[in-house]
């Protein structure tokens, strides 16, 4: 039985699927997980963000699953191996005592270097390698792509704001202030589109019907959204005073960490549950909403969301 999984992390759809597969396997067999992050180091200027984006996501997902976990990568040496981010997965797994390596399946358009690296891992690793494949119907792929596009949009804006703060000395104060005051409005619009009025809201409504076992996790996400709204309000009040501002940086870091954690819980817990419990008809219905624009209107509180052929599933 596997006791310690090493999982490589990246931001691609396949990589997100691999995290979900690995967490479900680890939970099923009672294993602990070590994640290997990309080489980007955390921004030390943002003291409220304890981890970079990928680290915050996987930590939140593992914690939601109740798993023992560690992070290896830039800024997170992992079990005393400071060069973890630079080590080959096979060598790192052996050094950490892992008995299984989880990697995402390569996309069809992977470059030659990535293919050669994967072949080398499979041929030389002394630790078994699990390649996590993702087989999706076209409808499911389109729905999930829209959800992940929204996550990337939020992440991209957050990274841009962080970079703007880091370059504060090179930008005119008037431009800094204008950018800071406009940022909370942009973030709020993105959050509303992602959490309240987009296809993601419809996906969660269907999942509540199909799988009672994820209701508590969906409730926790609702609470996190409320905390996000409070953090955005604080960010807007501080931004009104203009930049540069250490208080703005701290508030931005707090919001960024919460947003990345929320996306991590979705990508590591909710989306894998959707793959497991939603059927082809569910995905087709969501895809139709996406195509005709109905997903732009969220379900109302008194509007029934339960499909006609609803079937409930629980652990």
């Amino acid at each position: 039985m596997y006791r310690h999984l090493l999982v490589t992390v990246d931001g691609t759809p396949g990589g997100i699927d691999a995290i979900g597969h690995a967490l479900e396997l680890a939970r099923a067999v009672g294993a602990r997980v070590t994640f290997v992050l990309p080489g980007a180091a955390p921004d030390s200027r943002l003291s409220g963000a304890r981890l970079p984006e990928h680290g915050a996501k996987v930590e939140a997902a593992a914690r939601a699953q109740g798993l023992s976990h560690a992070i290896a990568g830039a800024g997170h040496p992992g079990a005393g191996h400071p060069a973890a981010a630079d080590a080959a997965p096979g060598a790192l797994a052996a050094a950490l005592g892992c008995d299984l390596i989880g990697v995402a399946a390569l996309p069809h358009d992977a470059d030659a270097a990535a293919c050669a690296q994967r072949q080398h891992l499979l041929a030389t690793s002394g630790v078994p390698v699990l390649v996590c494949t993702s087989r999706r119907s076209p409808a499911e792929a389109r729905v999930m792509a829209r959800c992940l596009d929204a996550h990337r949009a939020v992440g991209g804006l957050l990274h841009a704001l962080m970079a703007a703060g880091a370059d504060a000395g090179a930008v005119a104060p008037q431009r800094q202030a204008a950018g800071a005051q406009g940022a909370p409005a942009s973030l709020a619009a993105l959050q509303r589109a992602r959490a309240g009025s987009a296809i993601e809201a419809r996906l969660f409504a269907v999942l509540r019907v199909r799988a009672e076992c994820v209701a508590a996790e969906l409730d926790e996400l609702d609470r996190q959204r409320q905390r996000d709204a409070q953090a955005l309000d604080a960010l807007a009040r501080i931004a009104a005073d203009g930049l540069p501002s250490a208080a703005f940086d701290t508030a931005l870091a707090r919001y960024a960490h919460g947003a990345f954690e929320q996306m991590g819980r979705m990508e590591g817990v909710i989306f894998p549950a959707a793959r497991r419990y939603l059927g082809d008809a569910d995905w087709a219905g969501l895809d139709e909403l996406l195509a005709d624009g109905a997903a732009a209107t969220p379900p109302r509180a008194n509007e029934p969301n339960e499909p006609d052929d609803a079937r409930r599933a629980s652990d």
Side-chain angles (χ1 to χ4, degrees), residues 10-30:
D10 59 43
T12 65
I16 292 168
D17 288 338
I19 293 170
H21 284 304
L23 291 177
E24 289 184 333
L25 174 61
R27 184 180 181 185
V29 301

Side-chain angles (χ1 to χ4, degrees), residues 201-291:
R202 296 284 185 169
L203 171 63
F204 291 177
V206 175
L207 186 57
R208 278 188 183 275
V209 172
R210 299 302 193 202
E212 291 179 336
C213 59
V214 298
E217 184 63 27
L218 291 171
D219 291 341
E220 175 58 26
L221 284 173
D222 287 339
R223 288 189 288 269
Q224 287 187 356
R225 291 190 188 103
Q226 294 174 4
R227 291 193 291 269
D228 277 359
Q230 295 172 354
L232 272 174
D233 289 342
L235 198 59
R237 289 193 297 270
I238 297 169
D241 296 330
L243 281 178
S245 167
F248 181 85
D249 285 349
T250 300
L252 174 60
R254 187 178 300 114
Y255 177 80
H257 188 263
F260 290 142
E261 278 202 337
Q262 188 181 130
M263 288 185 278
R265 295 178 83 105
M266 293 179 194
E267 295 170 7
V269 180
I270 299 302
F271 293 167
R275 287 199 309 269
R276 177 188 297 176
Y277 294 115
L278 269 57
D280 289 343
D282 296 318
W283 292 112
L286 290 166
D287 189 39
E288 288 177 4
L289 292 172
L290 196 63

Side-chain angles (χ1 to χ4, degrees), residues 164-181:
D167 296 336
V171 181
Q174 295 86 350
R175 290 176 59 192
Q176 294 171 21
Q181 291 170 7

Side-chain angles (χ1 to χ4, degrees), residues 42-63:
D43 189 340
S44 59
R45 181 183 58 81
L46 297 173
S47 57
R50 297 182 297 106
L51 299 173
E53 175 181 354
H54 295 303
K57 285 184 175 183
V58 296
E59 183 181 64
R63 191 168 57 245

